[in-house]
Amino acid sequence: METMENADVIHADGMPVVLASRLTRRRLPDRIATTDFFHDAALAASREGLRFFFLGASEEQNAAAVARVREMYPDLDIVGRHHGYFGPDESDSVLAEILEAKADVVWVALGKPRQEHWCVEVRDRLPGVGWLKTCGGLYAFLAGDAPRAPRWMQAVGLEWLYRTLDDPKRLIWRYATTNPYAFYRIARHTDWRRPRRARHDEL
Ligand code: UDP
């Protein structure tokens, strides 16, 4: 929670968070799936000349994802990449590489919650980098190792179910351990009072 509160920007990557927000007074208008957002960001960066660095995933998947991005966005300035299986003592050399590359945006796929902790921990040591963006399983999608859910499943908020069926070993355990706690938090901490209607004389 402390790490999330320290983030500069938080968005709802999945539909369940958007649905849960509808129970609260701060309804989110929509989800922003990082896997979709990436392409908007890559187009904008190609246009504006922003430099991307890709950190995370296995060496093989990282290389495949970057090769695919180069194909899709030939005008995009990709200034570096590094796999995500480095130990705490190697973090400094990864930071030096990012600085040396003069990256504007670093995509960070180190798995949850390591990627979130890492970003908050190192951000002050990366002057000149405008944005560290956590991106979880993005490289698996870009490399073609993980299929996207069909459009209709995305539209009705079931992409998480599709991903679970595709990779049950990893995701069933995650959802079984985190969902009950998420439901508890929603039930316990939601402000269940409906927004009060403005009185006529206040209009
Ligand atoms: N990963 C990594 N280093 C680690 C642990 C995970 O680079 O020490 C990578 C992993 O290879 C995969 C990504 O992190 O590419 C998975 O992230 P996460 O599970 O958060 O993805 P999500 O399913 O939430 O999108």
Side-chain angles (χ1 to χ4, degrees):
M1 190 168 104
E2 203 182 311
T3 294
M4 294 305 281
E5 281 176 346
N6 268 307
D8 295 304
V9 179
I10 300 178
H11 64 93
D13 198 66
M15 210 52 195
V17 177
V18 177
L19 297 176
S21 81
R22 295 196 181 144
L23 298 169
T24 74
R25 291 179 171 214
R26 297 173 64 184
R27 294 165 170 224
L28 298 172
D30 209 344
R31 94 187 258 224
I32 301 172
T34 305
T35 34
D36 295 322
F37 169 70
F38 173 78
H39 298 283
D40 293 335
L43 281 176
S46 304
R47 206 172 50 234
E48 307 290 333
L50 292 177
R51 300 149 70 93
F52 276 9
F53 190 105
F54 292 88
L55 176 65
S58 66
E59 174 57 26
E60 199 186 358
Q61 193 172 71
N62 180 302
V66 170
R68 182 78 188 106
V69 174
R70 281 194 205 284
E71 257 170 49
M72 280 188 285
Y73 304 101
D75 294 336
L76 181 63
D77 203 357
I78 300 177
V79 291
R81 60 171 201 87
H82 196 287
H83 66 81
Y85 290 88
F86 56 89
D89 48 334
E90 288 162 283
S91 198
D92 282 356
S93 71
V94 171
L95 294 182
E97 218 175 288
I98 295 170
L99 282 175
E100 175 114 344
K102 296 197 167 45
D104 294 303
V105 178
V106 184
W107 296 87
V108 183
L110 301 176
K112 236 182 268 291
R114 184 180 167 211
Q115 59 196 15
E116 283 77 14
H117 292 315
W118 191 83
C119 287
V120 166
E121 200 182 297
V122 305
R123 64 181 168 190
D124 291 339
R125 292 164 58 198
L126 289 171
V129 173
W131 201 13
L132 295 169
K133 172 73 184 90
T134 55
C135 59
L138 174 67
Y139 303 163
F141 290 111
L142 290 174
D145 294 340
R148 273 311 283 278
R151 288 247 161 240
W152 71 265
M153 282 185 103
Q154 294 184 36
V156 295
L158 286 179
E159 185 155 28
W160 62 271
L161 179 63
Y162 183 86
R163 293 194 60 193
T164 307
L165 297 174
D166 184 58
D167 190 358
K169 261 205 323 240
R170 190 170 72 96
L171 293 178
I172 284 182
W173 174 248
R174 176 191 292 187
Y175 291 144
T177 52
T178 58
N179 282 2
Y181 186 60
F183 285 125
Y184 164 75
R185 301 281 306 191
I186 291 168
R188 176 86 178 73
H189 297 286
T190 296
D191 182 354
W192 293 100
R193 289 167 298 164
R194 286 280 147 214
R196 185 173 65 86
R197 282 222 193 107
R199 286 203 318 271
H200 185 67
D201 56 351
E202 290 172 339
L203 295 175

